[in-house]
Every structure is written in structure tokens, then in C-alpha cells.
Amino acid sequence: MSTIWYFENVNLYSVLCPHKIKRFSKQHSFKKFSKGDFVYFKEEYSRHIYLVSEGKVKITTYTEDGEEMIKAILTKGEIFGEMALLGEKKRKDFAQSVSANTCICPMEVEQMYDLMRENQQFGLAIHKIIGLRIRKLERRLELLFFKDVKTRLLDFIKELADEQPGSQKAEQIEIPLVYTHKDIADLIGSRRATVTTMLNELKEGGFIDYTRKSIHILDKSFLTEGAQVS
DNA sequence: TCATTAACTTCAG
DNA sequence: CTGAAGTTAATGA
């Protein structure tokens, strides 16, 4: 199942990007965003969905006391703003570029509907992605409430591992890291320092090896069984 | 005991 | 040279 998800995820870029679709080539437009620029604001009308072609985008909401809550961090090949397709009238969150040269491909909702009607397979893929996205969020929420940080980090790594191609078969898995420790901390509801400490624990335990660029899973059994690190 | 805060070092642009 | 990333140890729940 996860392989399918991966498959569709990577191919989405070629499928979705308007300049690959001849009919839309004239309005083919990439939009550039600098660090800190907003792609959309809360309460804005949900007219587009977006595909990240370069850089990194974070989706956030704010709690009553003004604290930022990060719902997701998206990188190359991933879509966001997809709630527009489910009848969302106005945005319920913010989308902000967090890298210097973020490049985004906007797609009108109406066009998306047309495409999805014409191409069933494409429509199915989109629905699947949205479904998985929602499930992922629900799961994250549950974990935040009931599990400790170590479990959450383990779960996070497991999720990344599952998204890698051929991860089912392979004993060792190389995960290219698009996230910083800070990103990971934000996503699992922890702190940068804590993430580092725990990654080091896992490293010492011989479960993983990591650099800034990637996490190498040496023994994937710990993902399912839980790491026994003291 | 676990995770955070704060203070420090290293890294990348 | 500066801000972000990563590390380490003290401290509080």
C-alpha cells in the first residue's frame, strides 16, 4: 500500500504540473516564493491547489495564545491546499515558504475537476492522496495525546521509511532527509534538542546512522518492535 | 525518569 | 559574518 502511495506521489509531479499537460501549457506558471512569503492566508478563498516544485512549505495554524502549530511540511513533488477540492470555501490555515527559492505550481480547482473527470486514474490518485493525508493527520493527533516523544519520533521515522521505494523488501533503508531536526520536532510536537538526543540514542543503539542529509536505517526491526534503548 | 530550557558549538549561505 | 542547525548539561515535572 505504501509503495502505491510512493509511486503516485512521485509521479504526481509529472502528472500534475501544467506544463506537462499540453492543453494548459499557455498558462503554465510557476510562482516563486522567498523565505517567509505566504502562499495563502487563513480566510483566503480556496481557489487553487498547489504543487511544490522546489523548496519547502509549511502549513500552520495558530492556537488562541498565538502559538504556532505546524500541520505539515511539504517538499518537492507534494501537493497542498487540497482541501479546496473537498469543497473548502476559505482556507483554514496558512501556507508559508520556509526556504529561499520555493517554486510552486498553482492549479485552479475547476481545472482539477476537469482533469479528474477526464482521467479517472488521476482522480483516484488525488482522492487517495487526500485520504492518506487526513488519516496521517488523525494518527499524528492521536500520538500527540497518548504517546511519549520517543514513540512519536520512532513513528515518524517509520512513516518516512515506508514512503521509500522498495522499503518492504530491503533490510536497510536510506531515507533522504528533507527535514531538519527543528522540522521533525515541530511535526512530532517536541523540541529540537530532544530530537537530536533521541536520534543519537538510536545511533548508539545501532539502529540507525544519520547525517544532516539522510537517515540510514540499519535494522528496520526496531521500527515495528520498538527500540530497546536504555 | 523523561523531556525541556538554556547556553554553547558548528555549519551553511 | 550572521542566523540556523545541532549538541550538551542542568533543571523541573
Side-chain angles (χ1 to χ4, degrees):
Chain A
M1 187 207 67
S2 331
T3 25
I4 294 167
W5 157 239
Y6 174 82
F7 178 76
E8 284 166 354
N9 194 24
V10 276
N11 280 302
L12 209 60
Y13 186 73
S14 48
V15 176
L16 192 64
C17 182
H19 91 259
K20 303 271 184 180
I21 304 168
K22 293 180 193 80
R23 191 146 64 80
F24 293 126
S25 57
K26 38 182 171 307
Q27 65 230 56
H28 158 248
S29 66
F30 282 109
K31 287 197 170 172
K32 297 268 187 186
F33 294 88
S34 300
K35 190 169 191 161
D37 291 351
F38 284 90
V39 181
Y40 63 70
F41 294 90
K42 192 176 179 179
E43 302 304 329
E44 215 174 275
Y45 286 102
S46 312
R47 294 205 178 85
H48 299 87
I49 72 160
Y50 304 89
L51 176 73
V52 182
S53 117
E54 208 60 64
K56 211 150 67 162
V57 175
K58 69 175 178 183
I59 310 297
T60 59
T61 51
Y62 290 87
T63 57
E64 312 83 49
D65 38 328
E67 203 185 328
E68 185 184 72
M69 197 254 172
I70 297 191
K71 291 169 83 172
I73 296 176
L74 292 320
T75 54
K76 186 182 170 86
E78 296 185 292
I79 60 168
F80 64 95
E82 73 279 355
M83 289 309 276
L85 290 175
L86 298 185
E88 179 193 76
K89 289 275 182 291
K90 292 178 176 181
R91 317 252 70 137
K92 294 190 172 60
D93 41 31
F94 297 85
Q96 186 179 22
S97 160
V98 284
S99 57
N101 291 309
T102 303
C103 202
I104 287 163
C105 205
M107 193 76 175
E108 272 177 33
V109 172
E110 290 310 318
Q111 281 184 7
M112 284 297 290
Y113 283 147
D114 288 345
L115 279 175
M116 287 164 78
R117 255 194 301 276
E118 280 167 29
N119 186 340
Q120 295 249 356
Q121 197 139 24
F122 174 72
L124 217 63
I126 295 294
H127 277 116
K128 187 167 253 166
I129 283 165
I130 293 174
L132 283 169
R133 182 71 57 80
I134 292 171
R135 250 197 284 167
K136 197 168 174 176
L137 260 172
E138 270 180 359
R139 221 160 76 84
R140 255 186 72 206
L141 205 62
E142 207 174 291
L143 263 117
L144 273 175
F145 270 113
F146 300 116
K147 306 290 184 178
D148 61 6
V149 176
K150 184 176 279 178
T151 314
R152 282 183 255 152
L153 177 62
L154 235 47
D155 216 79
F156 182 81
I157 296 174
K158 182 170 156 53
E159 223 166 53
L160 286 180
D162 284 345
E163 284 168 15
Q164 298 309 308
S167 61
Q168 326 298 318
K169 295 279 170 61
E171 269 312 305
Q172 302 200 347
I173 306 165
E174 186 80 18
I175 305 172
L177 258 198
V178 291
Y179 305 111
T180 63
H181 289 188
K182 170 84 164 61
D183 290 342
I184 297 172
D186 285 340
L187 288 171
I188 66 173
S190 182
R191 300 297 176 171
R192 175 160 116 261
T194 311
V195 169
T196 305
T197 313
M198 293 192 167
L199 283 176
N200 281 330
E201 267 182 31
L202 291 172
K203 194 191 227 172
E204 276 160 33
F207 299 106
I208 64 165
D209 199 10
Y210 78 92
T211 63
R212 292 196 180 200
K213 294 271 164 56
S214 68
I215 294 180
H216 194 146
I217 297 177
L218 302 170
D219 177 10
K220 71 174 180 182
S221 63
F222 81 94
L223 290 174
T224 42
E225 293 156 20
Q228 261 67 35
V229 192
S230 48

